[in-house]
Amino acid sequence: MTGLPNILHITERSLWEEARARGVYEWSTRGRTVSEEGFIHCSTPGQLPNVAAFLYGSYEGTDELVVLVVDPARVGVPVKWEAVKPGGEEFPHVYGPIPVTAVVEVRPWP
């Protein structure tokens, strides 16, 4: 255990199941891959409700939403805390695909 707090990523269950089959998760955010965005957007538990509302507030899909709990010590690529605007709230960004072995829990999103 490294002492680093786990970070969270919300996604559709089918994308997670696809990642499990391939061994890596490569979706940055809703509809965009890590190669398109440059990193995978993540959040803290306190940030997750607002992030979920922003990304999936109008979600009308039939796929269940899940939260991936990621151990940043296991991702094997840089994890940077960055703000959208200078001086703004910082969010964790994973600069590369997330190995499925770094996902320590998968929770349903209400």
Side-chain angles (χ1 to χ4, degrees), residues 20-105:
R20 285 182 60 207
R22 285 192 331 272
V24 293
Y25 179 83
E26 300 180 290
W27 289 94
S28 172
T29 190
R30 187 174 176 191
R32 292 184 58 85
T33 65
V34 66
S35 61
E36 293 169 322
E37 191 74 8
F39 55 85
I40 295 175
H41 290 270
C42 292
S43 63
T44 65
Q47 294 168 331
L48 187 62
N50 288 338
V51 169
F54 178 74
L55 293 175
Y56 291 98
S58 62
Y59 182 69
E60 295 181 11
T62 57
D63 204 355
E64 176 187 20
L65 297 177
V66 294
V67 176
L68 307 181
V69 181
V70 179
D71 180 347
R74 295 182 184 185
V75 297
V77 296
V79 177
K80 298 179 184 178
W81 290 77
E82 301 171 309
V84 176
K85 295 187 239 178
E89 182 177 18
E90 292 185 344
F91 292 84
H93 296 152
V94 178
Y95 278 82
I98 297 173
V100 297
T101 55
V103 177
V104 296
E105 185 181 351

